[in-house]
Amino acid sequence: AQTVTQSQPEMSVQEAETVTLSCTYDTSENNYYLFWYKQPPSRQMILVIRQEAYKQQNATENRFSVNFQKAAKSFSLKISDSQLGDTAMYFCACVGGATNKLIFGTGTLLAVQP
Amino acid sequence: DTGVSQDPRHKITKRGQNVTFRCDPISEHNRLYWYRQTLGQGPEFLTYFQNEAQLEKSRLLSDRFSAERPKGSFSTLEIQRTEQGDSAMYLCASSLRAGGRDTEAFFGQGTRLTVV
């Protein structure tokens, strides 16, 4: 079984500043993937960044990067130079095993303030 | 291809009525997933298909729920005798599994169901 925990229901950041969203997970799989998805208001969920558990190097995608601590089962998302368009619900998710089904956390609502 | 599309976007129904939702995945994707998302929660897995075969169903999928993917392309999710507790956003996602690996899952915009 897999679980994903996001302990920050809401976060706020000033435009151009940096913010870090926290996520912890638990899984019995040896080979698994971790994701951060963004869900803007009334819009579809899109993938922000993906991390393969067997890779030690932290994934980066432009202004988005992760801090993957495998032993601690921690997977935080850092957003640099925050933009107004980053305002959204952010979900951390884990997938492992053959089904590729995603297990999501409860989400963090990020508000970027002008 | 414009991505994963879901129809309708919104559905309001009276308790006890049946409803059916449709999902059209990205055309080359062989895996299709249904999730349910209630307010303030993350999406929860309901079921998934590989081609036309339904390979896993969550215990959340009661007997009133049925999903099909008859030709391995689009999928339908039917809820019979709807209850107020069925009110939620129903999300569809698709991915391609090939060579033992999966691409990322792409999501549709969802169908928001309100049972009154």
Side-chain angles (χ1 to χ4, degrees):
Chain A
Q2 297 166 79
T3 60
V4 177
T5 303
Q6 293 178 252
S7 58
Q8 304 157 312
E10 296 182 22
M11 295 278 286
S12 182
V13 64
Q14 292 294 124
E15 198 174 3
E17 297 293 308
T18 295
V19 64
T20 299
L21 308 184
S22 302
C23 172
T24 58
Y25 65 94
D26 195 13
T27 179
S28 55
E29 300 286 343
N30 291 322
N31 188 22
Y32 57 93
Y33 297 80
L34 296 163
F35 304 85
W36 279 96
Y37 276 89
K38 169 185 178 181
Q39 189 176 41
S42 301
R43 296 187 64 183
Q44 68 203 94
M45 194 159 333
I46 57 173
L47 179 67
V48 174
I49 198 164
R50 164 181 171 150
Q51 174 79 42
E52 297 172 71
Y54 65 86
K55 289 187 176 179
Q56 291 186 339
Q57 187 171 6
N58 289 326
T60 62
E61 286 288 341
N62 301 314
R63 298 183 295 107
F64 299 88
S65 61
V66 298
N67 183 3
F68 175 44
Q69 301 290 325
K70 191 171 184 178
K73 294 184 176 178
S74 170
F75 182 62
S76 61
L77 174 70
K78 185 171 82 171
I79 305 174
S80 304
D81 186 25
S82 298
Q83 301 175 0
L84 296 178
D86 295 334
T87 293
M89 184 72 90
Y90 286 81
F91 291 99
C92 178
C94 178
V95 65
T99 65
N100 203 40
K101 67 183 180 187
L102 290 156
I103 305 298
F104 287 89
T106 51
T108 297
L109 181 60
L110 176 67
V112 180
Q113 307 292 343
Chain B
D1 198 334
T2 56
V4 179
S5 62
Q6 293 187 244
D7 183 69
R9 293 286 309 280
H10 302 274
K11 178 71 177 179
I12 300 174
T13 191
K14 291 183 178 180
R15 189 177 51 172
Q17 297 294 304
N18 299 344
V19 293
T20 300
F21 311 141
R22 177 180 170 123
C23 171
D24 286 89
I26 292 173
S27 57
E28 64 267 26
H29 284 184
N30 51 11
R31 286 193 164 184
L32 185 149
Y33 303 80
W34 286 99
Y35 292 84
R36 182 171 69 186
Q37 185 178 19
T38 54
L39 203 61
Q41 299 295 318
E44 296 174 292
F45 170 79
L46 292 178
T47 188
Y48 96 100
F49 294 83
Q50 180 153 325
N51 300 311
E52 66 275 10
Q54 187 174 18
L55 297 186
E56 185 173 341
K57 294 193 291 186
S58 162
R59 65 182 185 281
L60 294 175
L61 215 64
S62 75
D63 291 345
R64 297 183 296 104
F65 288 70
S66 63
E68 294 183 343
R69 195 183 182 198
K71 298 182 180 178
S73 57
F74 73 92
S75 176
T76 58
L77 178 68
E78 181 183 17
I79 309 174
Q80 296 182 326
R81 305 180 303 281
T82 52
E83 302 173 356
Q84 286 188 322
D86 297 331
S87 294
M89 176 76 85
Y90 290 84
L91 297 171
C92 177
S94 70
S95 67
L96 174 65
R97 184 166 182 86
R101 294 176 63 88
D102 289 274
T103 64
E104 67 179 89
F106 291 82
F107 283 81
Q109 291 187 289
T111 294
R112 181 168 296 285
L113 173 66
T114 303
V115 182
V116 296

